[in-house]
Amino acid sequence: MSNKPSNKPWHRLPTPLALLKLIRFRETLRQKNLHDTSQIPDAEKLPHPTPDPEGRHLTTRTFDGSFNDLEHPEMGMLGTRFGRNVPLKDTYPDLKNIMTPNPRVISRALMTRDQFIPATSLNLLAASWIQFQNHDWFAHHNHPSKKFEIPLEQDDPWPEEHRPMMVAHTAEDETRLPGDTSAPPTYISRSRASQRHH
């Protein structure tokens, strides 16, 4: 019997082998694609989840996203820090070159569609993954006054009445210790209170 790993995709394997393969995927993702920001020192301002007195948090999804991981119930909770998909040492912003390459040029090159291109396949995890992505893109605090001005090309169809293109900075993480530069910037997901106002 061969000891070579199967080249079949996980969903075509017998259930026990499929589960083993998924566990390996998860371990690889956690090692190489999920980087924790919660270990960076904080000023005791991060929220701490409260268990439901009747134990519903053990069997039901919570509104604030707590208790998805019972060992770390605050993981992914509203008002906590966003994690990173690259090592933390690579997340220091290069403000001098932040517009190189121009994000609008990249966006137009990759995302412009002149005609409808239908999807030929769709993974069942797509809906939940898109939801997570949307939360990362939109469920954060914007700085009330700091903005990036995005240079536009002559042929850019961006409406004249909204020029120049301005994009708000993400607000700083106020849970960090004052003056702490030992780690790169971190960012907070919107709290339950701020979500009610948006």
Side-chain angles (χ1 to χ4, degrees):
M1 183 174 178
S2 172
N3 289 326
K4 281 187 176 181
S6 171
N7 289 327
K8 286 184 180 179
W10 69 268
H11 59 276
R12 296 191 181 279
L13 293 171
T15 299
L17 295 178
L19 291 173
L20 285 173
K21 203 159 193 175
L22 285 174
I23 289 169
R24 274 194 224 127
F25 287 159
R26 184 178 67 177
E27 288 172 354
T28 301
L29 283 171
R30 285 186 169 176
Q31 290 168 6
K32 299 182 178 180
N33 197 42
L34 296 172
H35 300 273
D36 189 10
T37 56
S38 69
Q39 304 308 310
I40 298 170
D42 69 90
E44 299 298 324
K45 293 181 181 178
L46 289 168
H48 298 284
T50 304
D52 180 83
E54 297 177 15
R56 284 177 292 197
H57 63 286
L58 299 174
T59 56
T60 307
R61 292 197 62 173
T62 58
F63 170 80
D64 61 8
S66 58
F67 295 100
N68 284 326
D69 184 323
L70 296 179
E71 291 183 16
H72 303 281
E74 74 288 348
M75 185 188 297
M77 180 182 176
L78 287 172
T80 60
R81 293 175 182 158
F82 288 114
R84 292 287 196 167
N85 291 119
V86 295
L88 297 187
K89 65 182 177 62
D90 296 323
T91 63
Y92 286 92
D94 181 3
L95 294 177
K96 289 182 181 176
N97 298 299
I98 202 160
M99 293 297 166
T100 306
N102 182 320
R104 176 65 173 172
V105 172
I106 298 299
S107 174
R108 292 182 68 199
L110 297 180
M111 304 301 290
T112 299
R113 297 289 181 264
D114 296 318
Q115 60 183 22
F116 176 69
I117 303 175
T120 56
S121 65
L122 188 64
N123 188 300
L124 290 176
L125 296 176
S128 57
W129 180 246
I130 291 168
Q131 183 187 37
F132 276 114
Q133 291 293 334
N134 278 323
H135 287 174
D136 279 357
W137 294 331
F138 300 115
H140 59 263
H141 295 283
N142 288 333
H143 194 282
S145 57
K146 290 184 182 177
K147 296 182 185 294
F148 291 109
E149 182 173 332
I150 313 294
L152 300 176
E153 295 181 310
Q154 289 292 331
D155 67 341
D156 195 305
W158 189 254
E160 286 293 333
E161 63 269 22
H162 296 296
R163 289 174 184 250
M165 178 186 281
M166 307 296 284
V167 176
H169 286 216
T170 301
E172 296 166 0
D173 176 3
E174 294 181 353
T175 72
R176 294 285 290 273
L177 296 174
D180 176 25
T181 58
S182 64
T186 46
Y187 303 98
I188 298 287
S189 69
R190 286 208 298 255
S191 66
R192 185 185 308 188
S194 68
Q195 283 206 329
R196 288 195 187 112
H197 290 93
H198 282 74

